[in-house]
């Protein structure tokens, strides 16, 4: 959805997805004990049935509580980050409330110790409410922005079975795929699709995706690091209900005395080119050992007076980066020199010639990529 651009503006929902897909470590979300009774399914059968369910009914109305946990084994990060910021999500446990009625009715609430951030989509109205700053922001989409993401070229329609076969053929190039049918998440029987890398250079042992046994909605994602008996990262429902949320969950009026702002989201072609003007991201390797190579992020300058939300998040990121770099290990080789950081699931190499290499790979894979032409 084009409203997904809202996430790029600062809503923490994307941070959960992007950070959660690659890094972290933390406690396991407790599943209800007992063996649920579900028919056995192969990976192909499971994916085909899930695709058929989505094609027929789409995502069903639902509401629930999601818990994300992360502990990277990094030095203590600055405590200035707000509860919903990407920096805060790099460590500890974080809870969010979710309500979904339809494509045009959605709400995400991220509570903090002394504040709460809400994203509310209701028809053509999109609001972001930040109780800490007492600010309600109405979000609009720039003219033409709805068309910035064009659909893929159309071709012969695929059946769910064909879609499952195509997905598994691609995944199978780099992964061993299996399914278990005795999992429970948030009290619901679920299938668990397990993807294990074939490449020895990956830090990932496996990724486990739990799908609800009735609706096939993803309920939990767990990432296990090699040599670990517990998930290194986990995000999933601790409570979920598949029924239509009450309409008042999507109603929002700025409270009396709140500061009301407007933001317009959407980028022109010139703005998109400017975003990538400082250097293009490239990748080295394939599958689970893919390494991203990009320009080293620059530290934002401090504003003369006050700070905007974007500046605040940029400064939080810069402070966290500075803390991490102080604990990095100096390394060198035929490729040059730099500083290396390794967590359970991610390695990062900051080279002295201005590159950042990052991936869920061993340091050896990073230095190999650093020397690639």
């Amino acid at each position: 959805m084009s409203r997904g651009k809202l996430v790029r503006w600062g809503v923490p929902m994307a941070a959960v997805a992007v950070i959660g897909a690659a890094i972290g470590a933390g406690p396991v979300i407790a599943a209800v004990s007992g063996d649920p009774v579900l028919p056995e399914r192969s990976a192909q059968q499971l994916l085909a049935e899930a695709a058929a369910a989505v094609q027929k009914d789409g995502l069903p109305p639902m509401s629930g509580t999601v818990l994300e946990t992360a502990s990277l084994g990094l030095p203590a990060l600055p405590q200035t980050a707000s509860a919903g910021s990407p920096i805060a999500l790099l460590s500890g446990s974080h809870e969010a409330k979710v309500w979904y009625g339809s494509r045009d009715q959605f709400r995400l609430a991220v509570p903090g110790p002394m504040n709460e951030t809400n994203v509310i989509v209701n028809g053509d109205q999109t609001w972001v409410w930040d109780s800490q700053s007492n600010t309600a922001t109405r979000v609009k989409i720039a003219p033409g922005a709805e068309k910035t993401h064009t659909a893929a070229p159309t071709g012969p329609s695929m059946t769910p079975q064909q879609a499952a076969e195509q997905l598994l053929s691609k995944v199978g190039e780099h992964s061993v795929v299996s399914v278990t049918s005795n999992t429970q998440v948030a009290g619901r029987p679920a299938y668990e699709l397990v993807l294990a890398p074939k490449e020895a250079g990956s830090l990932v042992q496996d990724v486990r995706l739990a799908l609800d046994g009735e609706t096939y909605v993803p309920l939990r994602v767990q990432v296990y690091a090699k040599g670990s008996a517990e998930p290194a990262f986990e995000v999933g429902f601790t409570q979920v209900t598949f029924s239509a949320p009450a309409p008042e969950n999507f109603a929002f009026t700025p409270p009396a005395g709140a500061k009301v702002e407007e933001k317009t989201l959407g980028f022109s072609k010139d703005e998109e080119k400017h975003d990538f003007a400082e250097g293009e991201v490239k990748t080295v390797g394939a599958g689970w050992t893919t390494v991203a190579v990009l320009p080293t992020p620059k530290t934002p300058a401090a504003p003369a007076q006050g700070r905007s939300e974007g500046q605040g998040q940029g400064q939080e990121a810069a402070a966290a980066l500075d803390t991490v770099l102080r604990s990095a290990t100096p390394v060198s080789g035929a490729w040059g020199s730099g500083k290396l950081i390794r967590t359970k699931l991610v390695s990062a190499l900051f080279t002295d010639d201005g590159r950042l290499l990052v991936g869920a790979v061993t340091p050896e894979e990073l230095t190999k990529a650093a020397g690639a032409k």
Side-chain angles (χ1 to χ4, degrees):
M1 299 194 311
S2 62
R3 288 191 179 94
K5 290 180 178 290
L6 175 63
V7 177
R8 294 172 56 187
W9 173 66
V11 178
M13 193 165 107
V16 174
V18 175
I19 296 170
I23 56 179
V28 184
I29 299 174
V32 178
S33 61
D35 294 329
V37 179
L38 288 175
E40 290 189 2
R41 293 286 186 268
S42 68
Q44 182 173 333
Q45 288 173 323
L46 179 61
L47 291 173
E49 291 177 8
V54 171
Q55 286 183 10
K56 180 183 177 182
D57 301 317
L59 185 66
M62 58 187 293
S63 60
T65 302
V66 175
L67 182 67
E68 177 262 355
T69 62
S71 177
L72 305 182
L74 295 171
L77 298 177
Q79 299 299 309
T80 56
S82 59
S85 77
I87 300 303
L89 295 173
L90 288 172
S91 61
S93 296
H94 303 273
E95 189 176 84
K97 303 285 187 180
V98 177
W99 297 262
Y100 179 83
S102 66
R103 279 179 61 95
D104 295 322
Q105 282 194 320
F106 172 78
R107 179 180 173 189
L108 172 73
V110 183
M114 301 294 292
N115 68 297
E116 182 171 283
T117 300
N118 274 253
V119 182
I120 305 107
V121 176
N122 191 14
D124 60 354
Q125 298 284 318
T126 300
W127 289 92
V128 178
W129 164 246
D130 183 352
S131 66
Q132 185 174 30
S133 62
N134 196 31
T135 302
T137 304
R138 183 177 180 181
V139 181
K140 296 183 177 180
I141 306 300
E146 298 278 356
K147 300 179 180 180
T148 56
H149 297 289
T150 57
T154 57
S157 59
M158 290 192 300
T159 66
Q161 290 76 16
Q162 289 172 327
E165 288 175 3
Q166 188 176 88
L167 176 60
L168 285 174
S169 67
K170 293 181 179 179
V171 171
E173 294 178 18
H174 303 282
S175 310
V176 177
V177 184
S178 60
V179 175
T180 61
S181 56
N182 61 345
T183 302
Q184 282 199 0
V185 179
R188 294 184 64 88
Y191 290 100
E192 192 163 67
L193 186 68
V194 183
L195 307 175
K198 292 179 179 179
E199 294 92 341
S202 174
L203 294 177
V204 178
Q205 175 177 296
D206 57 47
V207 174
R208 307 179 188 185
L209 172 64
L211 300 176
D212 185 73
E214 179 183 352
T215 66
Y216 297 100
V217 170
L219 296 179
R220 183 181 66 196
V221 176
Q222 295 174 313
V223 183
Y224 283 75
K226 285 184 176 177
S228 176
E230 294 185 348
F233 169 83
E234 182 167 356
V235 58
F237 285 96
T238 56
Q239 180 274 326
V240 64
T241 301
F242 289 100
S243 59
E248 54 263 29
N249 287 302
F250 308 108
F252 178 77
T253 301
K259 180 181 179 182
V260 179
E261 299 179 340
E262 287 197 357
K263 290 272 187 180
T264 300
L265 301 184
F267 298 91
S268 67
K269 292 296 181 183
D270 290 339
E271 288 174 320
E272 288 178 357
K273 290 179 181 178
H274 177 73
D275 286 345
F276 294 97
E278 294 185 3
E280 214 169 303
V281 177
K282 67 175 185 177
T283 59
V284 178
W288 296 85
T289 54
T290 299
V291 173
V293 185
L294 57 156
T296 302
K298 295 181 179 180
T299 302
Q305 291 182 344
R307 68 175 188 175
S308 67
E309 179 178 0
Q311 289 170 328
Q313 290 182 355
Q315 289 170 348
E316 289 173 0
L321 178 60
D322 182 64
T323 300
V324 170
L325 284 177
R326 285 200 295 268
S327 66
T329 303
V331 291
S332 62
W335 50 269
S337 59
K339 293 182 177 180
L340 175 70
I341 299 166
R342 175 172 174 171
T343 70
K344 289 184 178 181
L345 287 177
V346 170
S347 297
L349 175 63
F350 294 82
T351 66
D352 293 339
D353 60 9
R355 293 176 294 162
L356 167 60
L357 293 89
V358 61
V361 298
T362 61
E364 292 75 19
E365 292 290 333
L366 278 191
T367 54
K368 186 192 305 181
K373 300 297 183 184

